Amino acid sequence: MLKRNKYCGHISEEDLEKEVVLNGWVHRVRNHGGVIFLDLRDREGVVQCVVEEKENPEIFELADSLRSEYVVALKGRVRRRPPGTENPKLKTGDYEVVIQELEILNTCETLPFPVDEETHLSEETKLRYRYLDLRRQSMKENLLFRHRAYQITRRVFLEEGFVEVETPFLTKSTPEGARDFLVPSRLHPGKFYALPQSPQLFKQILMVAGFDRYFQIVKCLRDEDLRADRQPEFTQIDFEMSFVDEEDVMSFSEKLIATLFRELLGVELKTPFERLSYREAMERYGSDKPDRRFGLELIELTDIFKNTQFKVFRQAVESGGVVKAINFKGSNLSRKEIDQLTQFVQSIGAKGLAWIKVEDGKLNSPILKFFSDEETQALLQRVKAQSGDVVFFSADKKEMVYKILGNLRLHIGKEYNLIDSSRFDVLWVVDFPLLEWDEEEKRFVALHHPFTSPKAEDVHLLTKALETEHLEDRKSLVHSVRARAYDLVINGYEVGGGSIRIHRKELQELVFRLLEIPEVEAKEKFGFLLEAFKYGAPPHGGLAFGFDRLIAIMRGLDSIRDVIAFPKTQKGICPLTGAPDFVEPRQLKELHIKLVE
RNA sequence: GGAGCCGUAGUUCAGCACGGUCAGAACGCCGGCCUGUCAAGCCGGAGGUCGCGGGUUCAAGUCCCGUCGGCUCCGCCA
């Protein structure tokens, strides 16, 4: 076999008049009768190869039998293309390889879809024939980009003295958080391993072990429903540091992210990144991961309507809720467009969508008749209403208003192309609440995870909350406790999150008491961590980046599937392998598993 | 668990609102011609369970119900 000494995509001036051996796939063949052009492709690119019938009839005949995606090896002389026939679209477009020897290493059946074009393909087709999909340029570039990102990431961690350690995949199920993937134990009937949702506990134990600075690029697994930015298995850049506070973790993170953007995209991010409090993010954008590349901010109106006659608003305010609005300025939306937006908010759980349209100084609205003149005037002034504006309202419990208007804002931003996709909006969201009330479980749950440290100045509120009998009072005390947590948000996606952890037993026990995790259970579920903390746990904290999301955002892609070599469909299926699938009864028996029905 | 969009040739799609020459296009594939193309060109050809099941109707890609699959979103995702 002729063995490659050059990649097709690397043919350049220095190869002129030299002999090269290429290995690759037939990208395209153009037969002109007496001359055949063959575009040969490998990982690095494409080069045109040529054979003329009168010069080399045997090779010409062989080349005539070539079809798309045949695998070939060829030897040839590189020459400059005749003037006027250069192809500026190709990196190697000034040159061509005159074929002297040609070996067909393998044939290829008729393709299910063209590899050489960027035809839109259904997700199912892409994934079923992923090996062909990955031959396509954009997908190939996505993976090569990702590859470079791994290398830069490792280098930056190395420069900063981090140690790479692997943590177990067969581990213990822990309460709180996402649903675990379980692995039945053959050696221990009835017992199960859990696949890790993240290396969280292990990396903290590594800090106790004195490794000081740890990192890992690691798969995490969560058995939850999928989204464009969520796969059941995904990759995190995970790290943890000892003897640090949030400033250390954040500034290292900034170095890593800024380096990736600089070296991969040539984009210089301004450091330190901007910071926004959780509260401000929610109040202005209705989201803890705001996309600030467009306006349409939420406007507070509760005070204006606190005594209103309009029942919908008044009831919301009386029961502790809020009234907020967004003003889609100069949009001149038609009734039909407003109806479509109404349908959208209804699909996410709103009862309806109140609106006012400003037209030539006149107001058009189904709810205006319920407002007093003062309310209308105050409202118009607050939202800075001008002709052409359409104002949308939401009045409900705070969380609901944020959800409705936050999503509506985003929906409008996308639907009406308000987003400047040429820039990156990078920010930290900080000052998260430590705990939030879970209405379903009737208890407090950790917003990040139960090991997140509260701010020192807020700890006394936790103590006080424990002593408070009345639930509403207790809620308001607990909700005012801020966590030493931080999320990195880029273009409206949470690409990373972390915190300074609790490293002292007493504080951890206090948090467990508030989470209503009984001592017995805490001991049973993560007693190993609590025990480790007894033996000299250093103060520590860390962060994990969602690697797939980060790469997708940097590549300007909407779905992380496009940066994962072999992703799953929305139902968690792998069309390439057919996983998940049934297994042999014998396998089940070994695992002591009996299927119901 | 819920909402929306989609499913027609190997691929991407049109046809569906108004049921009746609607089995169509492009690309791909096969055959032929062609010495400078590069999404080569020209001529010819093959290729379909309209996702699946049921219903309405004289008649169903087209309307209705169910179901399966793909995508987006809500719930869920510390």
Side-chain angles (χ1 to χ4, degrees), chain A residues 448-459:
Chain A
H448 264 82
H449 56 66
F451 316 108
T452 301
S453 176
K455 294 207 164 197
E457 63 266 36
D458 293 349
V459 173

Side-chain angles (χ1 to χ4, degrees), chain A residues 106-358:
Chain A
N106 208 346
T107 58
C108 175
E109 289 192 10
T110 299
L111 296 161
F113 56 84
V115 163
D116 58 345
E117 271 173 63
E118 297 301 323
T119 333
H120 171 263
L121 295 177
S122 78
E123 204 65 23
E124 209 179 353
T125 312
K126 278 166 71 82
L127 297 187
R128 165 120 193 256
Y129 301 98
R130 193 58 158 180
Y131 40 88
L132 297 179
D133 187 31
L134 293 178
R135 286 184 195 170
R136 301 179 355 138
Q137 189 170 353
S138 60
M139 290 303 295
K140 186 175 70 185
E141 279 172 5
N142 290 344
L143 290 195
L144 292 174
F145 183 96
R146 183 178 174 126
H147 156 76
R148 293 197 294 278
Y150 290 125
Q151 310 317 318
I152 294 167
T153 300
R154 286 219 158 78
R155 195 195 75 220
V156 174
F157 275 115
L158 238 63
E159 283 167 9
E160 297 289 327
F162 283 79
V163 176
E164 183 167 0
V165 182
E166 288 183 79
T167 52
F169 265 45
L170 295 176
T171 180
K172 192 176 153 83
S173 179
T174 52
E176 312 276 306
R179 192 176 296 113
D180 287 316
F181 278 105
L182 297 176
V183 179
S185 163
R186 176 179 58 84
L187 298 173
H188 301 275
K191 291 188 176 178
F192 293 82
Y193 299 100
L195 301 176
Q197 299 174 21
S198 82
Q200 185 61 37
L201 302 181
F202 290 104
K203 68 175 173 177
Q204 291 190 242
I205 287 171
L206 284 169
M207 293 303 102
V208 180
F211 279 86
D212 199 87
R213 290 183 162 209
Y214 139 93
F215 87 100
Q216 188 179 190
I217 300 175
V218 63
K219 279 283 184 75
C220 301
L221 301 110
R222 296 178 188 175
D223 189 6
E224 297 291 350
D225 288 0
L226 291 83
R227 288 283 189 285
D229 63 345
R230 272 163 39 187
Q231 284 273 311
E233 52 179 312
F234 61 99
T235 304
Q236 282 191 345
I237 301 174
D238 190 51
F239 71 94
E240 193 79 7
M241 309 161 82
S242 290
F243 309 107
V244 294
D245 58 25
E246 24 302 58
E247 298 304 323
D248 300 297
V249 177
M250 290 161 92
S251 79
F252 169 75
S253 302
E254 286 166 356
K255 176 180 170 172
L256 175 61
I257 298 296
T259 305
L260 287 167
F261 272 77
R262 184 185 311 117
E263 295 187 14
L264 290 168
L265 298 175
V267 170
E268 204 59 46
L269 296 179
K270 209 165 59 186
T271 55
F273 300 155
E274 280 179 67
R275 296 183 190 185
L276 204 61
S277 73
Y278 171 85
R279 188 177 162 163
E280 191 177 348
M282 294 306 285
E283 285 177 356
R284 288 174 61 188
Y285 304 99
S287 169
D288 63 354
K289 42 183 169 66
D291 186 338
R292 305 179 305 169
R293 292 173 300 172
F294 65 105
L296 227 55
E297 290 187 23
L298 278 56
I299 303 161
E300 177 64 64
L301 301 174
T302 314
D303 56 309
I304 294 177
F305 291 105
K306 61 178 184 277
N307 296 315
T308 187
Q309 293 303 300
F310 185 32
K311 223 163 66 183
V312 179
F313 284 13
R314 197 182 62 226
Q315 280 172 356
V317 177
E318 277 172 358
S319 54
V322 297
V323 181
K324 284 187 163 258
I326 55 178
N327 182 1
F328 191 4
K329 293 201 75 67
S331 59
N332 269 310
L333 295 178
S334 67
R335 185 59 197 263
K336 193 178 160 197
E337 289 172 301
I338 292 172
D339 286 348
Q340 278 165 354
L341 294 173
T342 305
Q343 260 175 24
F344 169 76
V345 296
Q346 281 170 339
S347 78
I348 58 173
K351 291 177 209 86
L353 183 62
W355 52 272
I356 294 177
K357 184 175 176 183
V358 188

Side-chain angles (χ1 to χ4, degrees), chain A residues 16-57:
Chain A
L16 268 182
E17 299 310 323
K18 289 191 187 137
E19 208 173 70
V20 291
V21 178
L22 304 173
N23 295 158
W25 284 262
V26 174
H27 191 58
R28 208 177 272 123
V29 203
R30 291 176 294 281
N31 186 341
H32 284 252
V35 60
I36 291 175
F37 297 103
L38 157 63
D39 290 343
L40 193 66
R41 187 196 68 240
D42 59 29
R43 200 184 77 192
E44 300 295 316
V46 173
V47 71
Q48 172 168 290
C49 306
V50 61
V51 57
E52 290 186 40
E53 186 169 24
K54 66 169 194 250
E55 308 236 322
N56 209 333

Side-chain angles (χ1 to χ4, degrees), chain A residues 354-504:
Chain A
W355 52 272
I356 294 177
K357 184 175 176 183
V358 188
E359 291 173 290
D360 308 323
K362 285 194 316 241
L363 297 176
N364 179 359
S365 166
I367 56 165
L368 209 59
K369 54 179 179 270
F370 302 111
F371 296 167
S372 70
D373 285 349
E374 292 86 36
E375 284 164 358
T376 306
Q377 284 316 310
L379 158 71
L380 292 177
Q381 203 174 5
R382 181 74 58 84
V383 304
K384 302 189 174 71
Q386 288 173 309
S387 195
D389 292 0
V390 179
V391 182
F392 295 104
F393 300 85
S394 178
D396 208 318
K397 281 181 299 202
K398 211 189 249 178
E399 303 77 52
M400 196 62 181
V401 169
Y402 289 156
K403 178 181 158 188
I404 302 297
L405 291 184
N407 277 304
L408 179 62
R409 171 178 180 271
L410 219 52
H411 181 77
I412 291 175
K414 285 180 188 153
E415 205 77 356
Y416 292 89
N417 291 318
L418 307 180
I419 300 173
D420 175 6
S421 55
S422 70
R423 60 178 270 241
F424 291 100
D425 176 38
V426 184
L427 72 145
W428 291 106
V429 176
V430 295
D431 295 343
F432 282 85
L434 184 70
L435 308 170
E436 64 183 352
W437 179 255
D438 187 318
E439 194 52 50
E440 220 160 275
E441 294 194 39
K442 300 282 177 212
R443 65 178 187 101
F444 293 104
V445 293
L447 205 73
H448 264 82
H449 56 66
F451 316 108
T452 301
S453 176
K455 294 207 164 197
E457 63 266 36
D458 293 349
V459 173
H460 71 279
L461 296 168
L462 287 175
T463 324
K464 206 164 148 195
L466 265 185
E467 293 158 358
T468 306
E469 289 291 318
H470 188 50
L471 183 61
E472 289 308 313
D473 294 344
R474 187 181 242 208
K475 275 192 205 172
S476 83
L477 273 170
V478 168
H479 284 156
S480 61
V481 175
R482 290 161 301 165
R484 294 178 71 180
Y486 29 81
D487 276 3
L488 185 71
V489 176
I490 306 182
N491 293 356
Y493 289 93
E494 183 198 324
V495 300
S499 64
I500 298 301
R501 330 294 182 186
I502 299 170
H503 68 284
R504 295 177 64 141

